[in-house]
Structure formats: C-alpha cells, structure tokens
C-alpha cells in the first residue's frame, strides 16, 4: 500500500523504514528537508509539501501523521483536510489527547474524510522489534488499513499463547500479533494514554527500588548495616527468571552496565502529557489511582530535587524512546 508519512523523527522515520521493508510505498514529508532526503535515499518518494504528498498518493489517500501532540498535530491535520479528497484517511500515530481525536473525527467526517487514531508503543526499538498499536476507528477503514498495521506490528514471535484465550470467546486475534482495534475514534489513544500512565508507575517502582539499594551504603547507617551493592549485578539477576523481569528492567540493566553511577543523567524527568491525562481520566471516572498519581508527582518533584532514582528514570526514558532530559 502507499502511505504518506508526515513527520520523520525518531518514530516516524523508523516506521516508514519498517513499512518499506514490508513492501509498502512511502511518500515522505517533513519540514526538515534533510530528513526527507535521508528517507528518500532508503527508497521513499520525497514530497516538498502537503499538496505534493496528495499528488503522489492513490485514492483513497492514506495520510499518516507522526508529530508531537498539540498545536503541531492540530495544524497539520487541518492542512491535510484542506488538501484531501473525499474518502481519504487521516491517521494520527502520535500521542494526542483522546478527546481531541473524537472532535477531529467528527469534523473530518463532515468533509467525508475518515479519521483513525493509533496509540503507538515501541520507541526507537520499533524498527526491529515492531510496534504495539492500539487503534481507534470505524470497522471498514480498519479492514482497509490492516496490511499496514500487520507490517508494523511485532507479530506473534516466541511469546507463549495465553492459556484459555480463544477468539471463540470474542477476543481479537490481532492482539497476539501486537495490535488491536480498540473501538471508535479516540479509543486507541485512550488505551495508549492509560498504558503510559501504567508505565509511569512501573518506572517509578524500579527507580525507587534502585535508589534504596544504592543508599544502603550510606554513612548515615550503622557500619555493620551498610552494604556496598553492585547494582549492575542485581539488575542482571532480576532479568533472569525473576517475577519483576520486564523490558524496562532490561533497559535499566543496560544503562547500569555502561555506568553504574548514571552520571550522564541529571534526573530531571519530563512528563509528555499522558500521565496527567490518565490521572484526569481517573478523577472523571472516580477511580482511585494512587500509584499512577504518585508517580506523576514524583516527576514534578524531580525538576526541583534530584535523586539517584530520578537518574534511573531518565536512563529508562532514554533507553526506550531516546528522550533527552529537560533543560535546566
């Protein structure tokens, strides 16, 4: 299939490469001309503007927007709508707020355009590992786009099947390949939002645990209760058979193996929005979310007072998403 990829950053560029490796055609556009040229050298068709993108796409055109949430994505979707033709499909694969998706879908439907929101997880590793996707949209559009999602997804791999799981019970068999049709527009980003809220909590638990381990050597403790623990070895042994093993722990172990002091990370931890939105949703729904809320507030605190745990958080964020720390 032929896809117009708008935004060729850490995620968009790699997703375009994975699609091309899977046999799809990419029309590439970014305000950064060097990013377009780089992808064109790998086989994409370069476009100089959104108008140029549309002229190079089939009908219905598939526009995939991979830009930061907020005004940039909002303006780009509006510009695409001005250049699109009835029946075209606009996909937002960034981390937009799900209520914005609901509004956009209604506005585009008035112009006979389809809107699909794709909550995407996979970070800078997605090119090789594949992307876990949580998708919102109508059934007909989902069916048309399925070859694209199947190419981007990780596939079944060697993960054991969940006991007693059966499509006869209504489960979506696509989940085993790493993507689902969550529901109508907005539902994909809503599921991804909660995913990221949970991620905050998991990361905070690892960060606090390693902070406690490191602090056991403090001279504030009685001398016979001090342990000079090797955090690299602890992270490694926990990766192997432990009940708390995970990809986040893998990334932590890799960062500690490079430098157990994590000196390159100051510990100023950003939040990209999804954690706040998850807490907002919990309040709207009157659902207690003690861990997720505390994890979000810990990130706010990290910008004033840094701990080793905050450095661990920064190391994990850099590991899975290439996120650079907030400036002072």
């Amino acid at each position: 299939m032929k896809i117009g990829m708008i935004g060729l950053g850490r995620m968009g560029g790699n997703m375009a490469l994975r699609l091309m490796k899977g046999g799809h055609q990419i029309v590439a556009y970014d305000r950064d001309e060097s990013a377009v040229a780089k992808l064109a050298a790998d086989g994409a068709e370069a476009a100089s503007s959104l108008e140029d993108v549309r002229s190079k796409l089939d009908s219905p055109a598939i526009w995939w927007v991979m830009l930061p949430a907020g005004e940039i994505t909002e303006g780009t979707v509006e510009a695409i709508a001005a250049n699109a033709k009835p029946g075209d499909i606009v996909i937002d694969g960034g981390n937009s707020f799900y209520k914005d998706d609901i509004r956009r879908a209604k506005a585009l439907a008035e112009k006979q355009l389809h809107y699909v929101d794709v909550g995407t997880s996979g970070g800078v590793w997605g090119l090789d590992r594949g992307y876990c996707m949580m998708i919102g949209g109508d059934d007909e559009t989902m069916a048309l786009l399925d070859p694209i999602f199947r190419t981007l997804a990780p596939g079944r791999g060697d993960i054991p099947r969940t006991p007693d799981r059966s499509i006869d019970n209504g489960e979506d068999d696509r989940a085993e390949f790493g993507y689902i049709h969550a529901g109508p527009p907005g539902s994909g980003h809503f599921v991804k939002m909660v995913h990221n809220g949970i991620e905050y909590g998991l990361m905070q638990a690892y960060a606090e645990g390693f902070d406690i381990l490191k602090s056991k050597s403090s001279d504030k403790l009685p001398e016979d209760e001090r342990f000079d623990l090797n955090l690299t070895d602890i992270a490694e042994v926990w990766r192997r058979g432990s009940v708390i093993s995970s990809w986040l722990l893998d990334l932590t172990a890799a960062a500690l193996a490079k430098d157990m002091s994590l000196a390159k990370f100051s510990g100023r931890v950003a939040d990209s929005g999804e954690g706040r939105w998850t807490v907002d949703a919990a309040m709207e729904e009157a659902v207690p979310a003690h861990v997720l809320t505390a994890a979000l507030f810990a990130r706010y605190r990290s910008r004033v007072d840094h701990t080793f745990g905050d450095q661990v958080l920064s190391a994990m964020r850099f590991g899975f998403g290439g996120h650079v720390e907030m400036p002072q």
Side-chain angles (χ1 to χ4, degrees):
M1 301 182 76
K2 200 168 191 178
I3 306 114
M5 185 65 74
I6 318 301
L8 308 175
R10 289 191 303 262
M11 291 283 283
N14 280 349
M15 291 174 79
L17 286 172
R18 186 172 176 90
L19 286 167
M20 288 191 292
K21 288 182 178 181
H24 299 279
Q25 298 171 280
I26 293 294
V27 177
Y29 174 68
D30 194 291
R31 288 184 297 182
D32 182 354
E33 295 180 359
S34 64
V36 176
K38 181 179 179 181
L39 200 63
D42 289 315
E45 187 175 0
S48 58
S49 65
L50 292 177
E51 296 89 343
D52 194 25
V53 171
R54 184 61 186 89
S55 71
K56 291 175 164 60
L57 293 175
D58 303 324
S59 290
I62 302 170
W63 308 75
W64 190 306
V65 180
M66 208 66 199
L67 294 168
E71 294 182 4
I72 296 177
T73 292
E74 192 71 35
T76 302
V77 170
E78 291 176 357
I80 288 173
N83 289 281
K85 298 177 182 179
D88 283 2
I89 300 166
V90 180
I91 304 169
D92 179 6
N95 281 326
S96 289
F97 184 42
Y98 77 97
K99 292 184 181 180
D100 290 336
D101 294 313
I102 296 171
R103 172 180 49 78
R104 287 184 201 138
K106 291 177 180 177
L108 293 182
E110 294 177 357
K111 299 183 178 183
Q112 297 179 277
L113 303 175
H114 302 279
Y115 184 84
V116 175
D117 56 291
V118 181
T120 310
S121 181
V124 296
W125 299 84
L127 174 59
D128 297 319
R129 291 170 58 110
Y131 300 88
C132 172
M133 291 169 290
M134 298 133 271
I135 308 161
D138 64 82
D139 292 341
E140 184 178 351
T141 304
M142 275 292 299
L144 178 66
L145 298 176
D146 192 75
I148 296 173
F149 300 137
R150 186 64 62 108
T151 299
L152 287 170
R156 281 201 173 115
D158 57 0
I159 298 175
R161 302 192 71 181
T162 300
D164 300 323
R165 179 181 170 81
S166 170
I167 59 174
D168 295 333
N169 296 328
E171 284 92 348
D172 187 343
D173 67 331
R174 291 170 292 194
E176 291 188 345
F177 289 87
Y179 67 107
I180 58 168
H181 180 197
S187 63
H189 277 149
F190 183 79
V191 175
K192 175 57 164 49
M193 177 190 79
V194 177
H195 162 284
N196 281 29
I198 292 170
E199 178 185 286
Y200 279 38
L202 292 172
M203 291 173 69
Q204 187 65 30
Y206 284 125
E208 292 176 7
F210 279 101
D211 206 353
I212 294 168
L213 292 168
K214 184 176 185 297
S215 298
K216 191 59 176 171
S217 62
S218 171
D219 58 11
K220 296 178 181 179
L221 297 172
E223 187 172 355
D224 62 350
E225 293 182 13
R226 300 175 200 166
F227 302 147
D228 186 13
L229 300 169
N230 187 305
L231 303 187
T232 303
D233 288 346
I234 292 170
E236 187 63 29
V237 76
W238 282 354
R239 291 180 61 222
R240 302 179 181 277
S242 164
V243 72
I244 63 168
S245 61
S246 71
W247 185 30
L248 288 172
L249 182 59
D250 293 345
L251 295 171
T252 303
L256 290 169
K258 287 182 180 178
D259 174 17
M260 193 159 58
S261 71
L262 301 180
K264 67 177 286 188
F265 301 102
S266 71
R268 284 178 59 85
V269 188
D271 68 287
S272 53
E274 295 88 347
R276 280 173 281 152
W277 299 338
T278 302
V279 172
D280 286 343
M283 290 191 291
E284 289 176 357
E285 300 163 16
V287 174
H290 309 293
V291 172
L292 307 191
T293 303
L296 173 64
F297 288 168
R299 294 196 177 196
Y300 295 160
R301 190 263 313 136
S302 77
R303 299 164 205 171
V304 179
D305 177 30
H306 319 315
T307 67
F308 180 72
D310 298 326
Q311 292 174 270
V312 175
L313 282 175
S314 285
M316 280 188 275
R317 293 187 82 245
F318 182 77
F320 66 73
H323 299 292
V324 179
E325 288 183 323
M326 295 179 64
Q328 297 286 346

